[in-house]
Each structure stands twice: as C-alpha cells, then as structure tokens.
Amino acid sequence: LAAACFHQALEHHEAIVVLVRRRLSGSVMALVRPMFEIYIRGIWLNVCASDEDLGKFQKGKLDRTFAELISDIESHDGYNVGVLSRVKKSSWRAMNDYTHGGALQVIRRITPDSIASDYSDEQILEVIAFAGAVGYLATSEVALLARREDIATQLLEELKAKKGVGSK
C-alpha cells in the first residue's frame, strides 16, 4: 500500500512536469496538495499503521485527519524534525485553495485584458521545486521499502545539495 502511494505521488510529479510544459498552470497548482497528501499517506501506512489500520484504509474507512497522520509520522525517528508539520502549517490553506478552485486559483485567471491563466514565473518555479522535493522524498521512501538505505541516503543528500529541504 505504501509503495502504491509513493507511485501515485511520482505520477502526480510527472503530471506536473507535463502540465508545466503545456503551460496549464492552474492544473499544476491543483496537483500540489494531492501529491503531498499521498506522499504523507504512504509514509504513515509504512511507518505508523497497524494491521487494523491497513484494513480500514483498504476499505476507505480510516478515520485519521491529515494533521493526525503527520503527527503520528513525526513521532518516529527519522521523521521527528518537524518538516512535514511546518510544510502543512505554512502551505495547507493555499494548497486547498488551489486544489478546490478557491480565490487564489480564480484571481490568477483575471488579467487586464482577458480571462486566462496568469501565474508568475516565480510561482511556477516554487511549485516545480516543491514537487521535485516531494518526488525525491517519495523515491527515497521507495528505496527504504526495498531496503536500499544507501540509495535513500544518496537521494536525500542530493536533495539537500539542491537546497530542496530545510533551506528556509
């Protein structure tokens, strides 16, 4: 189940790349939250879930909030640095707004001359960097599932070198 979650996160990453190339910026923004969310679910399923939780998840009956999933994850070694909760705290409202067609999404479609996607290069670059970081992290989690800590460590080092995690 965890591997399937990470696979879905990586598919969202690939879709973001395709959408950026096609300049479909609103859809790019809409995929950020699902990518982050499925990545978190994958970690939680792998690190935190009991057999009962796994059964509930498979039936679509898991009754944990997203904040609870992050809290559970961050109680484990290797995840207890608070990065996930900081990302949620600083970005969750915007992620929801973009995903669900809120004001942030709609306002960026109104230009002086037309109704069209109007995101700055800086906004798109920020999303590309975030999606790239989550892609690296999801790939690292797959490596850990395969018991290839060497690959996971290498990916995390590459990500840190790119200043994709913990740079602020």
Side-chain angles (χ1 to χ4, degrees), residues 43-163:
I43 297 171
W44 188 86
L45 288 167
N46 184 45
V47 175
C48 305
S50 66
D51 288 342
E52 181 182 349
D53 292 330
L54 294 172
K56 286 180 180 179
F57 179 82
Q58 288 177 301
K59 293 176 185 171
K61 306 238 184 234
L62 188 65
D63 59 350
R64 307 284 297 158
T65 67
F66 193 64
E68 290 171 331
L69 297 180
I70 289 175
S71 178
D72 291 348
I73 292 165
E74 288 186 337
S75 70
H76 289 269
D77 287 341
Y79 301 96
N80 57 356
V81 293
V83 172
L84 301 175
S85 56
R86 282 194 302 274
V87 169
K88 183 186 182 294
K89 183 178 182 183
S90 67
S91 305
W92 192 246
R93 187 171 288 165
M95 284 190 220
N96 285 327
D97 206 77
Y98 285 118
T99 298
H100 297 295
L104 292 174
Q105 184 72 279
V106 173
I107 288 168
R108 283 169 179 79
R109 306 192 87 61
I110 302 170
T111 69
D113 301 323
S114 67
I115 302 296
S117 182
D118 189 29
Y119 293 84
S120 70
D121 289 345
E122 184 178 291
Q123 290 167 319
I124 298 303
L125 289 172
E126 186 177 317
V127 168
I128 290 169
F130 181 79
V134 175
Y136 261 91
L137 294 168
T139 303
S140 176
E141 292 293 334
V142 171
L144 290 172
L145 288 172
R147 293 182 173 85
R148 290 298 308 266
E149 193 170 316
D150 58 321
I151 294 172
T153 300
Q154 178 183 349
L155 287 165
L156 293 175
E157 291 303 318
E158 287 177 20
L159 182 57
K160 287 177 186 175
K162 292 178 184 242
K163 298 188 186 227

